[in-house]
Amino acid sequence: MATIEECRVALEKLSDNMQAAEGDVRAAAALDRSVSCHITDLDVTFAGRMTGGRIEIDDTHQGPPATKAQIGLAMTGDDLVALVDGGLNFAKAWGSGRVKLEAALLDLFRLRKLL
């Protein structure tokens, strides 16, 4: 089972990957939205903003998200690490319910380029 620190590192790596992206992926990463990532097996939420092509984590707290973010993710820590490392396909994980993504419809269309 992934630790809180491993999940934090995976989110930082995802942020770095978004920052380095080009073309359509870079445009999708340029959203300015509140973000939360609930790690279900650890019952920990990372909360922050997607801005300037990066995810900036401002808060980490126990339990589910305290407030609804504009972009919300929920998954296990192992799935987060596997997604970022390329070992888990996002579309398949989302389709099977292993990963949950909540966002406005327009944001979902933009985010699909990232994922």
Side-chain angles (χ1 to χ4, degrees):
M1 179 165 73
T3 66
I4 293 173
E5 187 57 32
E6 289 170 325
C7 292
R8 181 181 310 281
V9 168
L11 287 170
E12 289 172 6
K13 183 176 178 182
L14 175 61
S15 183
D16 291 344
N17 292 346
M18 289 170 47
Q19 183 77 41
E22 296 180 3
D24 288 343
V25 175
R26 176 90 173 156
L31 292 172
D32 184 9
R33 303 285 188 272
S34 60
V35 176
S36 69
C37 183
H38 183 221
I39 307 302
T40 56
D41 57 333
L42 300 174
D43 197 25
V44 169
T45 297
F46 295 92
R49 281 202 84 70
M50 178 187 290
T51 185
R54 294 192 60 81
I55 298 172
E56 298 175 3
I57 302 299
D58 300 325
D59 183 34
T60 304
H61 62 270
Q62 286 297 127
T67 59
K68 184 174 177 163
Q70 291 168 303
I71 299 172
L73 289 163
M75 68 194 81
T76 67
D78 288 342
D79 284 346
L80 173 62
V81 171
L83 279 170
V84 173
D85 288 342
L88 180 63
N89 178 279
F90 179 83
K92 289 180 181 178
W94 186 35
S96 69
R98 286 175 66 177
V99 173
K100 293 179 178 43
L101 171 64
E102 294 182 4
L105 188 58
L106 185 58
D107 289 344
L108 285 173
F109 284 124
R110 290 179 181 157
L111 290 171
R112 70 188 162 111
K113 294 174 185 162
L114 284 175
L115 309 168

